[in-house]
Amino acid sequence: MAWTDMETFRRIPKFMEDKRDKKAVEVRNSWLSKKYFFGNDSPASREGQHLIMNVNGGRVIKERPTSPVITEAQKFVRARIERRWLLLFKQTAEFLDRQKPKVSAPEVVEDILLKRRLQRSEAAWKILNSRWVSSSRDVVALRNQLLNPSLCSEFKTFVALKGETFENDVDFWLEVQKFKAKDLCHTNAHDGLIRRKVQAINECFLNSAISPELQIDIPIEMAEKLVERLTARHLHVHPYIFREAQVR
């Protein structure tokens, strides 16, 4: 209360002289007497009390205290609050409870929604992962069947009924596999033979003299870039030169 009353005085505008005078007298009667500031339970030491007396001109405060007297006395009051009462308050259950993180309702809702999104994402990833494994197994099985001449012929007959270029897609895949086979690209085959094979695949499927030029189902942009690489003057031939189009 002492600090609050002194702070109230300090906040009263200076042009309200009557109100300031009245509040200053209240502060003197309540706090700047032997009942508090100059008593045994004073927030100031003997030296502090003498300091306030000196600010008041070395006299006992009997009338309205000046503004500097109240301001300096308030500093001692504040020091006691910080030194004693603040430490005691920090040990109370009320203060300790305030230090616990408070979660508002919107934050709780947001946390729940985030948790649900993460759970859905995790579930979706598990599904995609299982599909990827299944797809990988299917690809391996299909590849083994295509390498079997009789099964491959039946498969080509089947896909021919599903689309115009599907049969050509199978033929392209088979020719690329032959190009990558151990008896050609992975062996010490003559460079001219390898380049003629690349040229044959290019002219048959990617840049055909028979309309349409593109005989397989890949994006035109991909085909144009691949043809540009295959017809370059300094072509670097390697087993995976058709990989992008083959896996498409």
Side-chain angles (χ1 to χ4, degrees):
M1 288 294 295
W3 185 90
T4 303
D5 284 347
M6 294 176 182
E7 184 66 16
T8 301
F9 166 79
R10 292 180 61 249
R11 292 176 180 269
I12 298 175
K14 292 184 178 181
F15 65 86
M16 302 177 66
E17 296 181 2
D18 292 342
K19 192 171 183 179
R20 285 175 64 87
D21 291 343
K22 182 179 179 180
K23 190 63 181 179
V25 172
E26 290 180 2
V27 170
R28 177 185 66 83
N29 294 336
S30 299
W31 310 111
L32 298 180
S33 63
K34 291 183 179 181
K35 296 179 182 179
Y36 180 69
F37 196 87
F38 295 100
N40 295 329
D41 194 30
S42 174
S45 61
R46 288 289 182 182
E47 292 77 8
Q49 293 175 0
H50 288 310
L51 174 63
I52 297 301
M53 293 285 289
N54 292 333
V55 173
N56 194 53
R59 303 185 304 273
V60 178
I61 305 174
K62 294 183 178 180
E63 304 295 334
R64 177 203 185 280
T66 61
S67 297
V69 169
I70 296 177
T71 301
E72 291 300 320
Q74 187 186 28
K75 294 179 181 178
F76 288 98
V77 176
R78 177 172 179 173
R80 166 179 275 190
I81 293 174
E82 295 177 348
R83 184 175 61 253
R84 179 189 296 182
W85 301 115
L86 185 59
L87 292 176
L88 291 176
F89 174 70
K90 287 183 176 181
Q91 298 175 9
T92 62
E94 180 183 359
F95 176 80
L96 296 176
D97 184 63
R98 289 182 182 180
Q99 305 313 303
K100 297 178 181 179
K102 303 294 183 180
V103 182
S104 61
E107 291 177 339
V108 173
V109 174
E110 184 178 356
D111 289 344
I112 294 175
L113 293 177
L114 178 60
K115 183 178 181 181
R116 289 179 178 177
R117 286 198 296 269
L118 291 175
Q119 290 174 343
R120 287 198 296 268
S121 298
E122 184 177 358
W125 168 248
K126 289 181 179 179
I127 293 174
L128 290 175
N129 189 47
S130 63
R131 288 179 178 175
W132 182 86
V133 173
S134 176
S135 177
S136 299
R137 293 172 180 171
D138 292 342
V139 169
V140 172
L142 177 61
R143 177 177 178 178
N144 292 334
Q145 290 191 7
L146 291 178
L147 295 178
N148 184 311
S150 59
L151 294 177
C152 180
S153 178
E154 294 178 3
F155 183 74
K156 288 173 63 176
T157 302
F158 171 77
V159 297
L161 302 175
K162 303 298 181 179
E164 296 180 359
T165 64
F166 288 174
E167 187 175 2
N168 290 344
D169 292 341
V170 176
D171 288 333
F172 174 75
W173 188 89
L174 291 171
E175 291 302 323
V176 173
Q177 286 301 110
K178 293 177 182 178
F179 168 74
K180 296 191 301 182
K182 293 182 179 180
D183 59 349
L184 184 61
C185 199
H186 285 281
T187 61
N188 295 324
H190 192 273
D191 183 68
L193 177 62
I194 296 176
R195 290 181 179 275
R196 284 196 296 273
K197 182 63 176 180
V198 171
Q199 182 180 359
I201 295 175
N202 177 35
E203 294 178 352
C204 183
F205 298 102
L206 303 173
N207 192 19
S208 175
I210 303 174
S211 182
E213 292 184 2
L214 182 59
Q215 294 285 325
I216 58 177
D217 184 23
I218 64 173
I220 296 178
E221 295 79 5
M222 180 187 295
E224 290 177 348
K225 291 181 180 179
L226 185 54
V227 170
E228 184 178 353
R229 288 201 301 268
L230 296 176
T231 56
R233 176 176 298 181
H234 302 289
L235 173 63
H236 173 60
V237 180
H238 54 85
Y240 304 103
I241 193 171
F242 294 104
R243 179 178 179 81
E244 185 178 5
Q246 189 185 28
V247 299
R248 181 67 175 79

